[in-house]
Amino acid sequence: MAKGGKKGGGAKGKKVTLKMAKNAVRVTTDGHRRLDLSNMGIATFPKCLLKLPDLNELDLSRNQLKKLPDFIGDLVSLSWMDLHSNQLDAIPETVSQLVALSHLNLSNNRLTSAGLPPSLGNLARLQSLNLGMNRLDTLPPTMVGLCSLQELGLFDNLFLSLPEFIKVLPSIIKLNTKRNPLSYAQGDSGATRGEGGLEEGVYLAKEGSLCGSCLESCKKERSWMLGGRRDREGDVESRGVTYSGLITPNSVAQANQEQWR
């Protein structure tokens, strides 16, 4: 009985083996090696991924991860990582070692401002960062160093005011701060920067890629989010491109990676 109790004492969840991970790796149309381990009930970050040194894209969204290990910083080939819809309350300092990272989705977790490391500002190649649907009320000032950041999602958090450094990010194009407490004093902000000033900005996602609670949240605002141009039922036109089967706004998951590059 004692032996059985010892076995059951660790974190529960599906275990990912190296063989399983290798068999799941796919090559994208642009030649990236992508591993999709989403929605598998994984509770512990798979250490076997360290034996996949050429991995470029990693999807561990919609799992049961509560903590990221320090060794995540050793996955230096990663350029794209999706961790949305887990149970993370903090990000390790070692994330700064992912110097090739251009897209990072941390939405729909339990992140607090104390859980965001100052080293996050060292990701000089980061272009898209989704921190929506967390428990954030401020950001590390060091994030002013995100010189390549174009898209920042801060929707559904606890911001009373926005960090001043956001105004001076040199590459920022899209900022989404909808449904924060600041809306009562300053108005919701979901905007993009362009020659004609600010225009509404949204995050797009395939309906099938959203978890149940997030899908329900999006559907409640469907009448608002489809206020723009529309070709046919289920199709939303944005910037001259029609995204079939997509819903808006404020996705916790990015649309197909090709649509964001």
Side-chain angles (χ1 to χ4, degrees):
M1 183 178 295
K3 185 176 180 180
K6 185 177 180 180
K7 279 189 174 182
K12 297 180 180 180
K14 187 177 182 67
K15 181 178 180 180
V16 178
T17 65
L18 179 59
K19 181 179 180 181
M20 183 189 305
K22 284 183 175 179
N23 290 338
V25 172
R26 298 290 182 269
V27 178
T28 66
T29 55
D30 52 3
H32 287 190
R33 293 175 61 81
R34 187 175 195 273
L35 176 58
D36 186 349
L37 297 175
S38 62
N39 200 23
M40 292 180 62
I42 299 170
T44 303
F45 195 95
K47 192 170 185 178
C48 65
L49 300 189
L50 292 176
K51 297 184 179 180
L52 300 174
D54 55 352
L55 192 64
N56 305 120
E57 302 181 0
L58 176 61
D59 188 348
L60 275 166
S61 62
R62 292 174 289 164
N63 279 295
Q64 302 169 19
L65 298 175
K66 295 183 178 181
K67 182 180 179 180
L68 296 179
D70 288 340
F71 67 72
I72 194 173
D74 294 332
L75 300 174
V76 293
S77 295
L78 285 183
S79 62
W80 187 95
M81 183 161 61
D82 191 345
L83 296 168
H84 87 263
S85 302
N86 278 282
Q87 301 170 33
L88 302 172
D89 58 15
I91 303 300
E93 288 277 355
T94 53
V95 71
S96 64
Q97 298 172 24
L98 302 179
V99 293
L101 204 62
S102 62
H103 293 76
L104 178 59
N105 191 346
L106 295 169
S107 62
N108 197 28
N109 277 282
R110 300 175 181 176
L111 294 173
T112 63
S113 295
L116 294 182
S119 62
L120 195 63
N122 295 335
L123 299 176
R125 296 186 184 179
L126 196 63
Q127 298 176 23
S128 177
L129 176 61
N130 193 343
L131 294 171
M133 300 183 74
N134 280 289
R135 302 171 181 176
L136 306 173
D137 56 15
T138 188
L139 298 174
T142 53
M143 283 179 60
V144 71
L146 299 179
C147 55
S148 300
L149 192 66
Q150 299 176 13
E151 300 170 351
L152 178 60
L154 300 176
F155 54 90
D156 293 290
N157 274 288
L158 303 173
F159 289 96
L160 295 175
S161 62
L162 294 181
E164 288 295 318
F165 73 81
I166 292 181
K167 299 178 182 178
V168 298
L169 289 174
S171 303
I172 196 73
I173 297 174
K174 182 181 294 183
L175 173 65
N176 194 327
T177 61
K178 289 186 177 297
R179 292 185 300 279
N180 277 277
L182 61 84
S183 64
Y184 294 102
Q186 302 175 6
D188 280 335
S189 173
T192 58
R193 179 189 296 171
E195 294 181 359
L198 294 177
E199 59 186 39
E200 187 176 60
V202 296
Y203 286 79
L204 302 178
K206 284 190 174 181
E207 185 169 341
S209 71
L210 299 178
C211 60
S213 60
C214 301
L215 177 60
E216 182 63 25
S217 176
C218 288
K219 284 185 174 180
K220 285 181 180 179
E221 299 197 14
R222 195 174 185 86
S223 59
W224 170 83
M225 67 196 180
L226 293 181
R229 294 171 295 171
R230 184 167 184 159
D231 283 348
R232 62 181 184 276
E233 184 66 22
D235 288 353
V236 179
E237 188 176 12
S238 174
R239 295 188 181 182
V241 179
T242 298
Y243 297 86
S244 178
L246 297 181
I247 65 174
T248 59
N250 306 332
S251 142
V252 297
Q254 293 175 325
N256 285 343
Q257 53 204 346
E258 292 80 9
Q259 295 167 351
W260 283 87
R261 286 178 181 149

